[in-house]
Amino acid sequence: MSADDIVEIFRRVLETDDITADSDFFLLGGDSLLGTRVLSAVARTRGVELSFEDLLDAPTPDALAKKIAGVTR
Amino acid sequence: MKVLVVGAGLAGLTAATDLAARGVDVQVLEARDRVGGRMHGIEVAQDDWADAGAAYLGERHTELLALMAETDLKAVPTAMEGASRFALTAPDATAPDARSVPGRFPPLSGVALGELFDLLDEVTRTVRVDAPWLTPDAERLDSITAAEWAEENLRHPDARLFFPLFLGEMMAAAPADVSVLHMAFYLRSGGGLRYLNAFAGGAQESRIDGGAHRLCEVLAARLGDRVRLGEPVLAVEQDGDGVTVRTAGGAHRGDAVIVAVPPVLADRIGFRPALPEPRSSDRTAPGCAVKVHLIHPSPLWREMGLSGWSVSSDGPLLSTVDDSPPGGVGVLTGFVTGEEAKRYAALPLAEQRAAAVAQAALLFPGLPEPIGFHVTNWLDEPYSRGCYAALFGPGDWIAQGPGLTRPHGRVHWAGTETSTEFFGLMEGAIRSGRRAAAEAAHDHPTSGSAL
């Protein structure tokens, strides 16, 4: 799953196009409720079950893509 | 021109205030011996007030914020610092267990909750919020309950555990009491899932300093003797020249009337001629909220690094929040909602207190006995019949929805249940009052306004 895929997920969940690979989910209006929808989208498309702490730890598309790559390696 | 207003809650008082500002003669008739309806304050210590009913607002509540500015009332942020407490156990667990978590995220599967919110978001987006009965697939959505929807759609046990808690928090509903259409409408009307759920940046961003009831008290004070208390309305009779409103104490005559009470209460008024259709059905349930206040000398949980926010899967207190007035006593508000509210409401006060205190001690270890304890049972309030708002059950939106705001001759309708914007909230009440006042002034202008 590339950072670009996650940019798309962030755009859909946060309802804004103003997202790049280093946008911080929580600084752009994301909260825990919306965060779970990122997790469910990742699980749906990649089959990887991340926790909410994973998103707190890796809140940008770039960082989250690296985390997912680490889990699936 | 004279307009009679039935009900001195926020909707009725807003309507009366607007009409008075247009130079219209108004008379507000209130059943209780106080104004405010579902906005009610309890003085929990000298000059410290807790909201027994409606409490929270956010920046999208523009009419409420404007009215607060105009009446010189301030907003107090509900800022939370510290960890949350969660006691979420499977139904077969032997002993309850509470744990601390930073922030407000429950210790459940994030993916499972994400799937739940995806599903809720999907159904919420389909609703025609201005006319729910015109929603695509409205017949089907209005024929099944939220409980049936959950049974069919939610697979993960964490989603099944969390859904009734979420619905209880959002709309004081047991899933079996509301149609899917009403659930989706309510969530959309209030600004969507995220907005309705959030404290900071959401619908629980702040409270009214000194208590929400003060807003109603200020409006009533300005109206003066145009507000009469202790006048439960029994009948509304129209003839060729006007309308007569009969109360226990006498009869009042006007050119029009604005009925600003919840649908179930409106249906208990005798209308002549009769209403073309009822405003509620036997599936319309009261908003199932019992609010509990535990009073402490100060917000002691903050010294434990806790925010006061908690969520429990077993009641009575399904959630708690720190509603302490700035610089005052500690107020821990407990929300008992949904099915749990029906059970709890039936208990004697001593048992209610014992159960709430025991649960608070489990959630906040070391928390001593409270110095004060208050229970407000909205289910059995004869002049509210539920809180936050009426719960529309299967069939209600299709049958009653189109008529909720339609005038019945000289009778106009207000109340938060008649607002498709921010339904069930203070903001909805104000918007409904504004609309009803404009309608009444427009439809019956003959006697001339002073403006």
Side-chain angles (χ1 to χ4, degrees), chain A residues 12-13 15 29-37 39-41 43-44 48-53, chain B residues 101-102 104-106 109-115 117-118 121-122 125 156 166 193-194 197-198:
Chain A
R12 179 173 60 79
V13 167
E15 297 179 46
D31 64 359
S32 57
L33 188 153
L34 293 179
T36 65
R37 301 190 55 210
L39 305 181
S40 62
R44 223 173 9 250
V48 176
E49 293 227 356
L50 298 177
S51 69
F52 185 67
E53 287 69 30
Chain B
V101 171
R104 280 185 70 213
F105 192 78
S109 159
V111 172
L113 296 189
E115 286 166 358
F117 294 131
D118 285 340
D121 186 66
E122 196 181 315
R125 273 172 200 285
H156 197 290
F166 182 75
L193 286 177
R194 189 206 65 81
N197 178 61

Side-chain angles (χ1 to χ4, degrees), chain B residues 119-128 183-185 187-189 192-193:
Chain B
L119 287 163
L120 284 171
D121 186 66
E122 196 181 315
V123 68
T124 298
R125 273 172 200 285
T126 67
V127 173
R128 264 286 299 273
M183 171 181 76
F185 160 77
L187 297 173
R188 179 86 181 258
S189 172
L193 286 177

